[in-house]
Amino acid sequence: MSLPVLGPGLVAASAPETVQFSVRYALPEYVSFMWQHAGYIIRRRRIGTLASYWMQIKSTSSAALHFVAQGRSRNTYEFTIDTHGIVRASRSGVTLVPWGDVCSIRRYSRGFMMVLKRGTLPIPFRCLNQAQGESMARFGESVRALTRL
């Protein structure tokens, strides 16, 4: 399923251009993404403050351990994002993600977080120029508009 170009009232009629970049994640950056995302998910559950904080620490620590164990900091990932979907290539292979698998695109302090049906893809601001950042915001608007339909 490709991302449709939505008409007036939803997003601009022009489709966002292709966004291409490469990224090599650093542990502090990855932990920051996971901390903010875990906080967002846990706040939605509306449990007590102490339990929320404990779950956020536990979740972020688990993500950091997984990051180190998988050697994610040693890989460079090449991304291509367009109206057809997301392609992520690295030395370990190519991952194709259709837009139907993207639940949302959230904006955090260090970049965008693409929330997928199975997992997440952090997109740091440092890897994007201004035009690419604007395109990512438009992709996010399109995904939000699709979920409202």
Side-chain angles (χ1 to χ4, degrees):
M1 172 176 161
S2 63
L3 187 67
V5 180
L6 302 170
L10 297 177
V11 294
S14 62
E17 66 268 2
T18 298
V19 177
Q20 291 183 318
F21 62 93
S22 62
V23 61
R24 188 175 207 157
Y25 298 108
L27 181 61
E29 174 181 65
Y30 188 80
V31 167
S32 174
F33 270 110
M34 293 302 123
W35 177 261
Q36 290 179 42
H37 190 59
Y40 165 72
I41 292 170
I42 292 166
R43 274 192 308 276
R44 292 176 60 198
R45 293 185 181 180
R46 297 180 184 186
I47 57 178
T49 304
L50 188 58
S52 293
Y53 192 64
W54 171 247
M55 287 179 69
Q56 192 171 2
I57 290 171
K58 189 174 158 185
S59 174
T60 304
S61 299
S62 176
L65 184 60
H66 184 72
F67 178 87
V68 171
Q70 294 291 316
R72 302 277 170 136
S73 64
R74 293 187 302 252
N75 290 336
T76 299
Y77 298 94
E78 302 287 335
F79 280 88
T80 302
I81 303 170
D82 60 19
T83 56
H84 302 291
I86 300 120
V87 178
R88 184 185 73 177
S90 69
R91 63 184 167 114
S92 61
V94 176
T95 304
L96 306 171
V97 181
W99 282 110
D101 288 351
V102 178
C103 300
S104 67
I105 299 176
R106 299 198 42 81
R107 182 186 291 259
Y108 293 129
S109 64
R110 290 192 180 242
F112 295 98
M113 176 71 81
M114 299 183 84
V115 181
L116 311 175
K117 287 182 180 175
R118 293 178 152 241
T120 58
L121 289 174
I123 311 293
F125 288 139
R126 66 179 170 83
C127 299
L128 305 173
N129 61 33
Q130 184 176 352
Q132 290 172 323
E134 291 168 1
S135 289
M136 286 299 300
R138 285 193 300 274
F139 281 128
E141 291 169 6
S142 296
V143 169
R144 264 190 303 283
L146 283 174
T147 59
R148 285 185 278 170
L149 296 178

